[in-house]
Amino acid sequence: MDDKLIANTCYATRARRAARHLSRMYDDALRPHGIKVSQFSILVAASVSRGDATITELADELGLERSTLSRNLQPLERRGLVEIGEEQQHRSRQVLLTAQGERLIEDAYGDWARVQDRARGQLPIDESAILGSLSALNAIT
């Protein structure tokens, strides 16, 4: 067994390292807005769903466990950025983005976009190829 080969070629290790690095970059840029990229992603997903997504559906969209999303929604709800609807007719509660949440996305967008452009500039291949590859990995069961 070649430990060095594994350490240098393991997709999971390399992806996790890259994800941590990217998260730090986005977190640093979004810090003035009092939010982390994980929270920004939740707000954006809630915005895209326009209140039609349940917690379970939003968790699936974000690749999170339902319990993890529920925990991550709590500080956003306390800040008034999202509202969690009531359970209706055996349907999970829906996540609603508030006007304050919409404003935060708008205010933070420029800082997010600058990091996005910086990261894109560091990629050695076409962005669509990378996003396609990541989507293919998401499909592995």
Side-chain angles (χ1 to χ4, degrees), residues 9-23 134 137:
T9 62
C10 178
Y11 295 133
T13 300
R14 299 296 292 266
R16 289 173 61 88
R17 187 179 307 145
R20 284 190 295 272
H21 178 71
L22 282 170
S23 290
L134 292 173
L137 288 174

Side-chain angles (χ1 to χ4, degrees), residues 42-77:
I42 292 168
L43 294 176
V44 169
S47 176
V48 169
S49 76
R50 302 200 185 282
D52 289 333
T54 65
I55 292 176
T56 301
E57 292 165 342
L58 208 56
D60 288 345
E61 175 66 27
L62 292 164
L64 298 172
E65 294 292 327
R66 187 182 188 286
S67 60
T68 301
L69 178 59
S70 292
R71 263 191 320 278
N72 289 327
L73 284 168
Q74 290 171 358
L76 299 176
E77 186 176 29

Side-chain angles (χ1 to χ4, degrees), residues 15-130:
R16 289 173 61 88
R17 187 179 307 145
R20 284 190 295 272
H21 178 71
L22 282 170
S23 290
R24 278 192 298 273
M25 287 172 52
Y26 283 99
D27 285 349
D28 288 348
L30 296 172
R31 187 170 290 115
H33 304 282
I35 198 161
K36 293 183 174 207
V37 71
S38 56
Q39 295 169 317
F40 186 76
S41 297
I42 292 168
L43 294 176
V44 169
S47 176
V48 169
S49 76
R50 302 200 185 282
D52 289 333
T54 65
I55 292 176
T56 301
E57 292 165 342
L58 208 56
D60 288 345
E61 175 66 27
L62 292 164
L64 298 172
E65 294 292 327
R66 187 182 188 286
S67 60
T68 301
L69 178 59
S70 292
R71 263 191 320 278
N72 289 327
L73 284 168
Q74 290 171 358
L76 299 176
E77 186 176 29
R78 280 193 300 270
R79 283 186 60 187
L81 302 173
V82 297
E83 292 177 358
I84 309 301
E86 296 298 320
E87 186 175 328
Q88 296 178 359
Q89 298 177 353
H90 306 291
R91 183 165 160 83
S92 290
R93 300 175 306 157
Q94 292 177 296
V95 179
L96 308 165
L97 185 68
T98 66
Q100 187 176 346
E102 289 176 21
R103 280 192 302 278
L104 189 140
I105 291 172
E106 289 174 18
D107 291 346
Y109 176 78
D111 291 319
W112 173 88
R114 277 187 281 286
V115 174
Q116 184 80 355
D117 289 344
R118 195 168 107 214
R120 183 182 298 119
Q122 296 299 310
L123 298 174
I125 60 175
D126 180 71
E127 176 181 353
S128 62
I130 290 173

